[in-house]
Amino acid sequence: NAGVTQTPKFQVLKTGQSMTLQCAQDMNHNSMYWYRQDPGMGLRLIYYSASEGTTDKGEVPNGYNVSRLNKREFSLRLESAAPSQTSVYFCASQWGNGGEQYFGPGTRLTVT
Amino acid sequence: KNQVEQSPQSLIILEGKNCTLQCNYTVSPFSNLRWYKQDTGRGPVSLTIMTFSENTKSNGRYTATLDADTKQSSLHITASQLSDSASYICVVSGESGGYNKLIFGAGTRLAVHP
């Protein structure tokens, strides 16, 4: 039982490049989330998926797209990376609305 | 505006000592309050979740308190260990359009020295 896994762990991109961050959970959770964590700030929600087939914007969605591929997998795509997207990205999953959220180990992304 | 503020920003204590971390929030409506521990380079891990009606909740050497009237919470760590060195994040959950939205504090960075 791996919990929430994320790939890659580290990534360096040049401005304008694109990439997809992958997330998978093996806990049969309905809800999945993408957050970013910047120094001195709390985690901020980018997008979430309350159930398979649905996605919704969070607090800071601009510059990102998501895909809920199936119940297990939720990917985050940066179409044209910008230095402002340099951050640590966390994926999380949750059984229902209000339950405990389980976080992945994070992806550290640097955009030069 | 929904906000979660934590104090202090950072704290250094000696191994074996106790400490208390503070959290004030202005999230409304309120659903529950959570404390997470985040080790360096890792994702946050849940310590406690408290609802409106719960005043105190313990998880081993960690004890969280909640005063919903004053909108304050604290996390008390007893007999600290080196492994307690981490960031501790206060998170308040509130309903928003049917979705349980989490508002994260910036965290308190705790260093436990031998």
Side-chain angles (χ1 to χ4, degrees), chain B residues 13-33:
Chain B
I13 62 173
L14 293 177
E15 186 178 13
K17 297 297 186 184
N18 304 335
C19 68
T20 300
L21 314 180
Q22 302 290 345
C23 173
N24 296 333
Y25 63 93
T26 57
V27 178
S28 182
F30 173 88
S31 180
N32 57 62
L33 186 144

Side-chain angles (χ1 to χ4, degrees), chain A residues 21-102:
Chain A
L21 282 64
Q22 306 287 354
C23 173
Q25 52 92 8
D26 61 2
M27 296 175 281
N28 201 35
H29 286 168
N30 294 321
S31 303
M32 297 186 73
Y33 307 82
W34 277 105
Y35 294 94
R36 60 179 288 172
Q37 186 176 38
D38 299 299
M41 300 181 69
L43 274 76
R44 292 181 292 169
L45 182 65
I46 304 170
Y47 270 94
Y48 68 98
S49 171
S51 61
E52 186 179 351
T54 68
T55 60
D56 285 287
K57 295 179 180 179
E59 183 184 355
V60 288
N62 291 344
Y64 305 96
N65 283 302
V66 291
S67 294
R68 183 75 182 266
L69 304 170
N70 47 55
K71 192 169 187 178
R72 289 188 64 247
E73 298 171 290
F74 188 38
S75 63
L76 178 71
R77 182 160 179 84
L78 286 70
E79 291 291 351
S80 178
S84 61
Q85 295 178 304
T86 294
S87 188
V88 182
Y89 291 86
F90 289 99
C91 176
S93 72
Q94 180 176 301
W95 168 245
N97 197 20
E100 183 173 332
Q101 283 197 11
Y102 294 84

Side-chain angles (χ1 to χ4, degrees), chain B residues 86-106:
Chain B
S87 286
Y88 292 85
I89 303 172
C90 176
V91 185
V92 179
S93 175
E95 283 284 338
S96 176
Y99 158 67
N100 220 339
K101 179 179 180 179
L102 300 188
I103 310 296
F104 289 77

